[in-house]
Structure formats: structure tokens, C-alpha cells
Amino acid sequence: MIRSASDAAVTISRRRLLAAGAGLGLALPLVSTPAFAAPGRKKFVLVILRGAADGLSMAPPVGDPNYVALRRDLAITDKALRLDGDFGLHPELKTIHRLAGVGQARIAPAVAMPERIRSHFEAQDRLESAAGGDISSGWLNRALANLSAKTDMDGLSVGPVAPLVLRGEVATASWSPGRAVEAQARLPMLIQDLYGDDPVLGAALARGLQTETLAQANIARLAPEGVEDLSPAARAKLTRTLMGDSREAAGRLGGTVAGFMRESASTDLVAISLDGFDTHANQAGPLARRLAYLDALLGGLQSGLGSEWRDTVVLVVTEFGRTVRTNGTLGTDHGTASTALLLGGGLKPGGIIGDWPSLQEARLFENRDLAPTADLRSLFKGVLAEHMGVDRRALDTTVFPDSAAAAPILGLI
């Protein structure tokens, strides 16, 4: 773990760290010594699969007699990683299957938000705001506001854009892996000069600098010797290789996120956005690659957290599911219910979360979609209540406004 550039435990030079960081993002000086997370602090990671991930492929209902007839060439049967006699996992979800085998991963195979929306952007806004038509803040930020009133706690978003779910009154950090700028960029220094003393912008700037410092430290560990001698373009190319689309790169990204969580005393809530799950045509190959990426990211996160995995819960969700029938281009279209994945070292072992509605034609939603049997807000509430300690009144009124009818799903942790 890297505390500062002069720490005796550091195995790379400051020059090398900054050189590797230049290919990733902003080449900035170490602005402070990162504080290390205290043992036993509860951590929550939300992963949003954007594009409507196909739950019937993520967790194929191998025991449902209607599955193969409806899914035809997209049905996953013999290659499914079995969970029990009724469900399996996509063959690329090897890490999740391993964790399920030791009681650290479960599936919720028929979940959705209460509104039936098939527009990606509207559904993602609803998933992340969970506040009716109000999209000025996200439920994870509102939960953070409740928690940070009791203890110091920060949020971090990982992805190209800070997601709505973490936007709101509480300032949070964000990091987009793979950015490339010139090694001698002067913009960070100019911003420091202009806004360093500002009570609001200065604090936000310091948070961003701290985030970038941790990112540089974690990425620098992955870079080969001699990286400091590469040109800016070559370093940028190296960074894209290190943090690209392969399974290996995904594992490195998961480990880097774990580094943020380990090496910061207060980064306990993280939101990660993964794109590429809108599979209208030729679904099998692209979906397999995206699920392999997800699986490796989660594997890197688990191994990177080490002993702190026992205090971590990860929830993987998507804005809606896909049609139960295959379309004419070997893909699926926008549907309703999908599968959520719940992982963590402190999970209670058990079967599926919620009920299975079956794929009988009479039970399909609008004769085309998997019908939801559980409200995603109930799953969110259960995790926030049992794992993070958010009280029920706050969950029903502030974090998820006007949601008292959606009771938390308890007994998971």
C-alpha cells in the first residue's frame, strides 16, 4: 500500500508513479498522505449495467420448462454454471459462481423498479433517483447524507460520467479510468492557483486531487519497469492496455477500485458504471464478453479488498430486463424484470431472493416480458438497512421518498 512518495514500503519511485499516471489521467503531485481504511468499516459497491442486461442469460432458469422453447438459440443449458436444480449462471460468470459456492453470492432473478419504462434514459434516471419525477439527486447520495451525518463517509463513482445515483448535496469523488493528457499539462496547477483557497471549490479540488493520487499509485504498480522513459503517447497506449476491455484489464480495474477503498479512511460507498448491455442483435457473443468483464472486475475487487471483503456488499443491477423471446436477429428487445446479483463476504447463504414468476405464457408481463416479483427499492433498502445501518424512517421518506409500501428485503446480511 502506498502512503506517500517517501514511504519506505513504496517499491516504485515518485518519478515512475507520476509517469504512469500521466498516461492515465492528470500528472499531479501527492497532495496529502492517504489515510488507510479502519478494519471493520462497512463498504457498499453498486454496479450499474447500462443498456438493460439480459437476466435470463445472466442467471438462466434451467429448471423452467418453457425456457428453451422461448429462448431457442440463446438458451443456456448444458454450459450453465449450476446454482441448483432451477437456476444457473452464465458460463462467463466463473468468479460469481465460485463465490456462490461458499455462500457469498446470490441472485434476485425477477426484479424491477415499480414503473414499467422501456426507455433506457428514463429507466436509468428512475433507477438512480428513485424519487418519482425528481432527478436532482440520487438515492445513494441521499443515503450518504444520512450516513455522513453520523460518521465520516465518502462516495466515489467510477466511469466516464459521474452517475445520477451519487449526485446530490453531499460532495463525492469521481474517477474515469483511461483518460490521457499531456504529461506536462498545466491545467491542474492553474486551477489550484485560482481556486485553492475557495471554501467550496477548494475542497472539491482537494478531493479530486486525492482521488487522482490514489489512482496513479494503483496504476503505477501495474506498469512495467522503464515506463518513465516512454513518450506521453506510449504511456497513454500502455494505460489503455492496462485498463482496456479484456478480462485481465477488468481484474486490474477491480483491484484499482479496491485500492481506493482500502487506502482511504472514508471511501465506503462506490458506484461503478459499465456500458454495453443493449443486445438487440447477435446477443450471444457481445453479452458473453461484457459478462466476462463484469466477472473479472468483481474478482479483482474481491481479491484486492483482501480481509476487508468480509465487510463489503456488492449489488449489481440494470435498468430493466429484456424480452423472453428471441427476436429475428438473434437478440432480445427491451423488457421488464431482470436479474440482480448480490455478493459479499458477510452475506447469509441462501437461495434466490424473491419469487420466480415462471415463464408460462399466461404469467408473462404483457405477453412478452418476465414479470417482476420484487421491487428493486426493497432490495436497496435491505442492503442499506442491514449492512450500512440506515434507519427505516430515513429509507421510506428521504432516501426513497414516499416508498413505505416497499418494505426492505431483510435477512440477507
Side-chain angles (χ1 to χ4, degrees):
M1 294 182 180
I2 297 174
R3 297 176 187 269
S4 73
S6 59
D7 195 309
V10 176
T11 58
I12 55 176
S13 68
R14 174 185 171 90
R15 179 166 169 253
R16 183 178 172 213
L17 184 151
L18 293 178
L24 168 72
L26 301 177
L28 300 172
L30 294 172
V31 294
S32 64
T33 299
F36 285 69
R41 286 185 69 111
K42 301 299 183 183
K43 301 178 184 298
F44 176 47
V45 179
L46 177 72
V47 182
I48 300 177
L49 308 181
R50 299 187 183 278
D54 180 28
L56 295 178
S57 292
M58 291 172 63
V62 292
D64 192 302
N66 301 285
Y67 173 62
V68 173
L70 288 166
R71 274 305 170 99
R72 299 180 296 173
D73 291 343
L74 292 183
I76 300 170
T77 53
D78 294 343
K79 293 184 178 180
L81 306 175
R82 292 298 183 107
L83 296 172
D84 53 32
D86 296 317
F87 290 92
L89 290 172
H90 190 282
E92 292 292 348
L93 299 180
K94 300 178 180 68
T95 298
I96 298 172
H97 186 250
R98 171 179 60 80
L99 291 171
V102 294
Q104 295 183 12
R106 298 175 65 179
I107 63 169
V111 292
M113 293 297 285
E115 293 82 6
R116 303 297 168 245
I117 303 171
R118 294 196 180 99
S119 160
H120 288 299
F121 298 114
E122 289 181 30
Q124 288 176 22
D125 284 347
R126 185 67 179 102
L127 172 72
E128 297 179 65
S129 70
D134 180 9
I135 57 171
S136 60
S137 66
W139 61 264
L140 197 53
N141 191 284
R142 297 194 295 270
L144 183 58
N146 178 272
L147 293 166
S148 59
K150 306 168 189 174
T151 182
D152 65 314
M153 186 171 289
D154 285 333
L156 169 70
S157 64
V158 179
V161 178
L164 171 60
V165 73
L166 256 181
R167 294 183 212 159
E169 67 175 70
V170 180
T172 60
S174 62
W175 177 59
S176 178
R179 290 175 298 148
V181 298
E182 287 299 315
Q184 303 302 319
R186 298 176 62 237
L187 181 59
M189 292 179 285
L190 292 172
I191 294 175
Q192 279 184 288
D193 290 343
L194 286 170
Y195 300 116
D197 295 330
D198 187 281
V200 176
L201 295 177
L205 175 62
R207 185 186 301 271
L209 294 174
Q210 177 73 4
T211 301
E212 190 62 33
T213 294
L214 288 176
Q216 292 172 18
N218 282 288
I219 295 300
R221 296 182 214 180
L222 306 174
E225 293 294 336
V227 67
E228 65 270 27
D229 299 322
L230 297 177
S231 68
R235 287 196 296 271
K237 183 177 180 181
L238 172 63
T239 299
R240 288 193 294 272
T241 300
L242 290 173
M243 307 300 279
D245 291 329
S246 69
R247 193 177 186 106
E248 292 75 17
R252 288 190 284 264
L253 176 58
T256 299
V257 173
F260 280 124
M261 301 176 74
R262 280 196 327 270
E263 295 164 21
S264 168
S266 56
T267 301
D268 298 324
L269 275 72
V270 177
I272 303 174
S273 295
L274 298 182
D275 294 321
F277 290 89
D278 195 14
T279 50
H280 287 282
N282 300 313
Q283 174 175 298
L287 181 61
R289 288 190 289 274
R290 295 311 289 157
L291 292 179
Y293 188 95
L294 167 68
D295 189 71
L297 184 149
L298 295 174
L301 181 69
Q302 185 225 354
S303 61
L305 285 169
S307 62
E308 294 179 44
W309 175 250
R310 65 173 173 260
D311 297 312
T312 303
V313 167
V314 181
L315 183 56
V316 182
V317 298
T318 192
E319 67 261 33
F320 49 72
R322 307 195 72 83
T323 51
V324 298
R325 297 181 182 87
T326 304
N327 64 27
T329 57
L330 295 178
T332 53
D333 299 317
H334 297 178
T336 304
S338 189
T339 296
L341 305 172
L342 187 65
L343 308 90
L347 246 60
K348 289 182 179 177
I352 68 168
I353 300 169
D355 298 321
W356 177 244
S358 94
L359 294 175
Q360 294 179 27
E361 190 165 333
R363 298 192 178 184
L364 298 181
F365 178 71
E366 295 185 350
N367 192 38
R368 52 170 278 162
D369 300 341
L370 179 68
T373 62
D375 189 327
L376 263 175
R377 296 173 303 171
S378 295
L379 188 53
F380 298 152
K381 285 183 176 183
V383 172
L384 292 175
E386 292 191 314
H387 184 60
M388 301 304 296
V390 182
D391 66 80
R392 176 69 187 273
R393 177 173 175 77
L395 288 171
D396 289 348
T397 60
T398 305
V399 181
F400 302 96
D402 303 317
S403 68
I409 298 175
L410 302 175
L412 303 174
I413 301 159

